[in-house]
Amino acid sequence: MKAIAYFSYGGPEVMVLADVPVPVLPPRHGLVKIQAASINPVDWKLRSGQLKLITGRKFPRIMGADLAGTLVELRGDGNGLKAGDAVCGFAYPADPPGSLAEYCAVPLDRLAPVPAGLTLLEAAALPLVGVTAHTALFKLGQLKSGQSILVNGAAGGVGHVAVQMARGAGATVTATCRTGAMEFVKGLGANVVIDYGAQDILASSVLFDTILDTSGRLPFRKARRIMKPNGVFLDPDLKFQNIPFGLVGKRYRPVMADVRRAGIETLSTMVAAGTLKPVVGEVFDLSEALAAITAVEQGRSVVGKTVIKI
Ligand SMILES: NC(=O)c1ccc[n+]([C@@H]2O[C@H](COP(=O)([O-])OP(=O)(O)OC[C@H]3O[C@@H](n4cnc5c(N)ncnc54)[C@H](OP(=O)(O)O)[C@@H]3O)[C@@H](O)[C@H]2O)c1
């Protein structure tokens, strides 16, 4: 099968469009014929070897985690899922992992039915960013109606779903993005939209109950000055130097997504309620994926998600 694979850790240059074997199906996994896969920063963080103590030295590895497609075979209890179902989910920890391929053997507890009303392209855009935003806002941030939240970096993957979820929960949302994405972010429902290139959010006179920083560029130390006394700072871009903040006090909260079926089903409920819709900003074929991933990794801005059609 065709896949975007790599045979050693490294930069974009180690990725190739390769022919690799269709995965053998281990117990408790389902074989998915992938029709769409979205790209996430974690894909190149893993490929760079940042987490090689966990990911090991077995190659080839395949890029991509989020997926949507058709479940063609199951080995184990699918908890209601059956061959032929349209599913979406998350391709870790599969062996070999990776959704930018024609097939992937995915742990059955990481697959869920495609949310009603979403296309496969939209379904592939949702799992990781959706579960990350939901975990951050509601499990860690305990966001409530009437509270104020800053979503710093609101036009990207996590940000654009976080804005929708926070508005759906009745919070007042201040969102930052680049100039060209301001209309997009207003359309997501943000109450106040700030161009991060034109205005320093740290000069805000508004104090926030919650800050979600998707950019990884807002230092917690400085952000404290625009947080209410009990405000929390939610950080999905886990940085080594921030670990001490998480150990002392409860205001800095590292965000770790747990992409399992129950999390995706919670997102499905929001989609059904009309409070959440993932936005597919651009679509490429598998043959264009190397260039598309490299461009996004090197800083090309996207609104919503980049999805690869397979
Ligand atoms: N821990 C977990 O489980 C987990 C799960 C998912 C994601 N993450 C991490 O969360 C982070 C965000 O992921 P993502 O998928 O949302 O990435 P993304 O789509 O690249 O979004 C990042 C956003 O930050 C914005 N940005 C860049 N510089 C900025 C600045 N100075 N001020 C304000 N905004 C700025 C970008 O806007 P422009 O494009 O306009 O510059 C972009 O919209 C990544 O580090 C990712 O690895 C962690």
Side-chain angles (χ1 to χ4, degrees):
M1 66 170 185
K2 297 268 182 242
I4 303 296
Y6 52 100
F7 294 76
S8 63
Y9 292 120
E13 71 285 350
V14 301
M15 295 184 291
V16 286
L17 177 58
D19 275 307
V20 297
V22 173
V24 176
L25 198 55
R28 296 180 296 283
H29 284 60
L31 188 66
V32 180
K33 180 174 180 0
I34 297 176
Q35 279 142 301
S38 73
I39 66 174
N40 290 284
V42 71
D43 300 335
W44 44 91
K45 292 181 182 177
L46 290 172
R47 191 208 58 222
S48 73
Q50 278 179 35
L51 298 171
K52 63 184 166 201
L53 283 179
I54 299 168
T55 51
R57 295 223 152 257
K58 194 169 164 193
F59 295 102
R61 295 181 61 86
I62 296 171
M63 294 288 286
D66 279 329
L67 61 88
T70 305
L71 185 58
V72 290
E73 193 183 337
L74 292 84
R75 205 170 155 203
D77 180 4
N79 194 12
L81 293 176
K82 56 185 189 321
D85 285 354
V87 291
C88 64
F90 195 69
Y92 288 105
D95 182 19
S99 58
L100 282 163
E102 291 173 288
Y103 291 89
C104 185
V106 185
L108 283 165
D109 67 352
R110 300 206 171 231
L111 289 174
V114 165
L118 293 191
T119 65
L120 286 178
L121 294 177
E122 290 166 334
L126 186 59
L128 181 61
V129 296
V131 171
T132 303
H134 187 268
T135 301
L137 266 44
F138 302 115
K139 293 188 180 162
L140 298 170
Q142 308 279 317
L143 186 70
K144 292 181 184 57
S145 180
Q147 289 189 328
S148 56
I149 179 170
L150 167 65
V151 179
N152 192 48
V158 176
H160 91 284
V161 292
V163 170
Q164 297 177 60
M165 287 179 186
R167 288 295 294 132
T172 302
V173 179
T174 299
T176 69
C177 61
R178 66 183 180 282
T179 319
M182 290 179 78
E183 286 307 312
F184 170 73
V185 174
K186 274 182 204 154
L188 299 172
N191 301 82
V192 179
V193 181
I194 292 172
D195 175 350
Y196 69 70
Q199 202 175 324
D200 182 3
I201 190 62
L202 291 170
S204 166
S205 54
V206 176
L207 299 184
F208 299 100
D209 293 291
T210 306
I211 295 178
L212 171 65
D213 178 32
T214 79
S215 77
R217 296 175 196 216
L218 188 62
F220 169 65
R221 274 181 185 284
K222 293 186 177 168
R224 282 186 292 199
R225 75 174 77 132
I226 55 167
M227 290 161 66
K228 289 185 182 171
N230 291 323
V232 292
F233 185 94
L234 306 167
D235 186 5
D237 181 29
L238 312 171
K239 285 194 203 66
F240 184 72
Q241 66 267 28
N242 283 338
I243 289 173
F245 296 130
L247 299 176
V248 290
K250 296 197 167 88
R251 303 185 71 202
Y252 174 85
R253 302 194 182 161
V255 180
M256 184 57 88
D258 180 5
V259 186
R260 288 191 228 205
R261 179 169 176 159
I264 301 172
E265 286 173 343
T266 301
L267 303 176
S268 294
T269 310
M270 295 176 149
V271 171
T275 54
L276 175 63
K277 180 137 173 122
V279 173
V280 176
E282 52 182 20
V283 181
F284 297 94
D285 291 327
L286 192 60
S287 60
E288 304 167 305
L290 288 176
I293 297 166
T294 303
V296 176
E297 179 176 354
Q298 292 178 342
R300 182 164 56 73
S301 291
V302 182
V303 291
K305 298 280 296 172
T306 300
V307 177
I308 309 297
K309 205 165 56 169
I310 298 172

